[in-house]
Every structure is written in structure tokens, then in C-alpha cells.
Amino acid sequence: MEAHEGEQDILVPQEQKIEVIDEDKHYNNCDDSSHLVANRNNPDEKDPTLMRPQDCDEENAGMDEIEVPNSSVLVRMNYREKKGSRKKKRVKYAMLLVICIFMIVGVCLGSVLWIRAGKSNNNTNARNPQEAQADKGDDNDSTDPNNSTDIGSDTDGTGVINDKNTIRLVDTPAGRYVQENFGQATRDALELEGSPAYDALAWIINDDVANANYGFENMINDTDTAIAFQQRFAAATFYNTHNGTDWNPEGVNWMSEKDICEWEGLTCGRFGDTDVFRNLSDFKGAPFVTKIDLRNKNLAGPLPAEIGLFTELKELILTSNWISGTLPMQLFSLANLEAIDLYDNNLSGELPTEFSNLNELTGLYLGMNQFEGPIPNEWAQMGKIQQIWLNSNKLTGVLPTTFSNTLEEIDLRNNQIGGPLPVGYASMPKLAILNLENNSLTGGIPDVFADSVLKELYLGSNSDLFTDVDENGNFFPMVIFNMEYIEVLKLDGCGIAGRLPSLDYNTQLTNLRVLNLDNNKLIGNIPAPWGRVGSLVGLHMANNNFMWNLPWTFRNLGSLTELDLSQNSLTGQIPNGVNFDRDWGSGFGSLQIMKLDGNQLIGQIPPLPPTLVEIYLNDNKLQGPIPGSLVKLTALETFTFQNNLIQNVPEEICQMNLGSLIGGCDLDCPCCTDTC
């Protein structure tokens, strides 16, 4: 048999059977070299890896056999097998190399992430106990990076979140500062996405335009920066809580890059500006909000707990807004507060006793809200308080027995307070204004008030205040004649009955400016000496049962601007120069409002004071023409004379173009403003 070119002949008997050789397998039980088959590449050498099956023991005798037709086929088969084996090995090695590369890359990335997470966790001294305990987990290992509560990547070291959705706010430097230094209410709020405090912190961290230049990442080591962060965070939370986008007019500079001292309504001071902080020189450069004045801005919602972060606040003025809810306890930690003005809002709940902790407070204005319950007796401990306004609430109970000796004014009108007027108020050395109108007080005015320094006493609309009448049905609080300093006395609708006493105008009520006795049960005439109280500016005796003539002495009340004697039973003529020694027209040098309607006055209308702005003469028995002298009243705006016997209106009166000229529907008056 001829050999092909490049190949050596191997003589194999034609019928010889040979096994298929696995080159990767060695047969250790066939060691006899006499059985070795000639090497295919070198026939003179024996290949120890090839052997005949009949030369092996029975263990290998069962191997598969095939018939080989000739030597050339065998050579090709063995060549191809060796080539395929080498290819398989190269694939295995390549796969191992790829696996190793992936393992190395994974280890490197894991190490980098673990190191950066460790740096982030070490930027703070300690977390709050609850958070640390939660991070420990069941194995109690807070340093294990696998226990981290971070979501996604950390910050870049500046405190600014690269992706605000990949890390919790509380895990930033600013967030950890809040967790370590602020109150529980604020810490809890940061766990609630969308809360005013959460949004405020997110704004500080993420708004690079507004906050990037303030260096808040350094605040742990820098006191001034920490103070700036605290004030900015508190202001932003305040803005979010009170719907800042709905303020009207809008808050200028709020939530901008400018310092909060430039935000509208905020006034700042610094440590060292007052005696209180004079020794704290380290903090002289730190600005603090000392005044918030956002009155009538359409603020809504409750006061946030973060109001307590304005630690140096002296004045809080939020008058005429829509602030609701109860007062936060953090408000009472502001030891420097001097004035709290929350007048005309929707605040509710009971009045906190903690106001007594504010030792610097001089003005407290909580009127026109929805507060209820009694006034705490502890308020007597407010050592510097000067004014308290609690009017128009839903307060009940009785009055506190006393207040601080510093108190100058208290306004409790329009509530539901009952009981007697405490005698202790008479001895308060600075109490000048006491307003208790429209309550349910009883017991009258104690005699000790004759020695008080009160200048203004408002007791109107306490219908049961004076019920202790004598056997003739008379009761009048005679104590008022001895109140030396009294200037304003309002006793309307208090149940006063009987005759109006006369007085010694030289020694009594010499400082009285306003007297209101409306809506009582007074009868008889008005004593002439009342027309000699020259200090009177306003005299109100409407809706009683006074009778007889008007006292001509009233023309001597040169300072009187308002006279109201309407709805009585006064008779006779209006004083004039014909029927009396002196008329009213030449007196009343300041009178602007004259109300004589609803009486039984007769005769013609005499010349009247030229200063009058409003004249009410309707529902009497006046007759004759309206005097032409009325045109001299150049300030006149309102003139009512319906339901009298007056028959015509002069043309010159029509030419005055009065805003209100009412003569009744039965009168032919083309210029009257009646709606008939």
C-alpha cells in the first residue's frame, strides 16, 4: 500500500481491529512496553499512550472497537482528534481568564464603595439612639456596611446630594445635624416625606442656586454656619407650613439665595447687640432673627414646632391671618420674647399656662381667636407683662384674682366670663384700662375701686352687673363719682335703674371724657350739672326713659364731639335764643354728631352748630320749614328728619348734595335719598 506524500506508512493487518483512543486518559494497569503500539509520527519509537486492547487485562477488555480499513484513515482521525482537543483547551483557558477579570473588577468596586460608605458614616460623632439601634439589626453590628440604611449612592463630600432620590435626607451632614440638635417633633417630621420640615431641608440641600454659597457642610465645626443653617431651616419650614406660595402680597425674597435677614418681614440682630449677650463675644458675627412681622399676609395653617428655632426672637407679629390649631409648646422656649401678636386668627384650644415662663413678655395679643376655657391663674407670674388682649374668644370661668403689678391694660370683652369683679384689680398700681364688656359679670363695682388708678373702665353689656336695687327700684354705682382718674366710663346695658344723680362738676369726674349710659332704665330729667363737665367728648344716654326738657347747659360742652340722647321721652323744644337765654347753635364748638331722634321734641329746628357732620332728628314732633341756615353747615353729610310735621325742603338744601337726606315718603322732596 502506497503512502501519501508527507505521511509514513503504518502496516496494519487488513482485518486488524483497533480501539478508539482517548488521549486524555492513561491506563496505568498496562505497563508492559512489549505491548506498546508504534508511534504514528515515528514508527521506530513506541508510544506509551497507545496500546492494543488484547494486551491489557480484562478490566480494559470491554472498550469499544471499530474496524479501520487502512492506515491513512487512522492517521487523519487521530490528527483531527488532537486538533479538536487543543481547541477545547484554549476555550477553557479563555473562559477562566474572563471569570478572573470579572472577579477582580467586582472586588475592586466593592472595596471602593465600602470605603466611601465608611467615610460618610464617620462624619458625625454619633446618631440618635433610636436610629443607631435600628441600624444595628439582629446582629447588633452598626459598623457592617451591609446594615446601612442608605439608598443608592452617598454625597460627594459637600453635603449636596448628587441624586436626591438616592439617599435619605437624614443621612446628609445637614440631616444628621438636625437629628442631633433639634427637637423630637422636627426629627420625626424629617422621616415624613412632603412635610414642611422635610421640604425645607430638601430645599437647603438640593437648591444649589439658593444655598450653595452658605457652606452648610461645615456647620458641625463652625458655630456661625450652624446658626445660619438653623435660622434658614426654620424660616423655610415656616414658609412651607403657612402656604407661602399663597401669601398675598407674596413674601419678597423668601426662598431665594439672599440672606434671610433680607426676606420680607424678618428683622435680624446679632449676639453682642444687647446686655443679655454682651459676654458671648464668640457669637457676635452670627445673625439671628429677632422679629417676625407678617401681618395681614394670608398665612394659613398651624404655627410649626420649628418656631422654637428662632432662639433670639423678641417680636412675633402675625396679626390678621388664618393661623389655626393650638399653640406649639416650642413657642414657650423663646425666653427673649417681648411681644406676641396673634390677634385676629383662628387659633383654638385652652390658654397655655406656659405663658408664665416668658419672663420678658410685655405684650400678649390673642384677641379674635377661638380660645376657650378659663384664664390661668399662673399668668399672674408674668413679671413684665403690660398688655393682655383676649377679647372675642370663648373664654369661660371667673376672672383671676390678680395679675402682675406691671399690667397696664387688659381686654377681655366679648367672652363668657362670669363672677364678680375681683377687688384685687383696684390695687394694681399701673392698671389703667380694664375692658370687660359683653360678659356675664355680677356684683357691681366694688367700693374699693374709688382708690384705683383706672383711666378707662368698660363694663357694658353685662346685663346682670347691677341687680341690687333699693326699695324704690333705684340703683346707680355711686363709686364712680370718686374715681379720680377715670376718663372713659362705659356702663351701657348693665341694669342701672332709677334717677340719674346730680354731681359736683368742680370736684367729681373732672377728667371724664366719655360717658356711656345707653340701654339702661334711667328715668326723670337729666340734671343740669352734667352739662358743666367740660372735659366730656362723648355723652351717650340713649334708650333710657329720660323725660322733660333738654338741659340748655349742654351748650357749654365745648369739647363735646358726639351727643346721643336718642330713644328717650324728652319733650319741649331744642334750646334756641328765642325761648332760652342762650341757644345751642352758639355753643358746641366741636360737636360733629347729634342724635335726638326718637323723642317727643316740638317746635322748629333752631340754628345748629356749624361743625355738625351728622344730624338725626327723625321720629319727633318737629314742624315748620327746615331753616335756610342749614346751608352754613358745610361739613354736613347726613340729615334725617322723617316722621315729623315738616312740610317742605328749601331748594338751597337740595343743592347741598348731601350723602343722606331722609325726609320720609310722604314729603315732596325731589332731592331726598329715601327709598320709597
Side-chain angles (χ1 to χ4, degrees), residues 339-371:
I340 299 176
D341 190 348
L342 300 173
Y343 195 87
D344 188 19
N345 280 282
N346 287 324
L347 294 164
S348 59
E350 294 191 353
L351 296 171
T353 60
E354 286 78 5
F355 275 109
S356 60
N357 298 334
L358 302 177
N359 296 324
E360 301 298 320
L361 193 64
T362 60
L364 178 59
Y365 310 98
L366 302 177
M368 296 187 67
N369 281 285
Q370 304 294 322
F371 290 111

Side-chain angles (χ1 to χ4, degrees), residues 55-75:
D55 295 331
C56 299
D57 56 20
E58 292 181 0
E59 179 179 351
N60 299 322
M63 296 180 61
D64 296 337
E65 296 179 353
I66 60 173
E67 293 183 2
V68 180
N70 54 54
S71 62
S72 63
V73 174
L74 178 62
V75 169

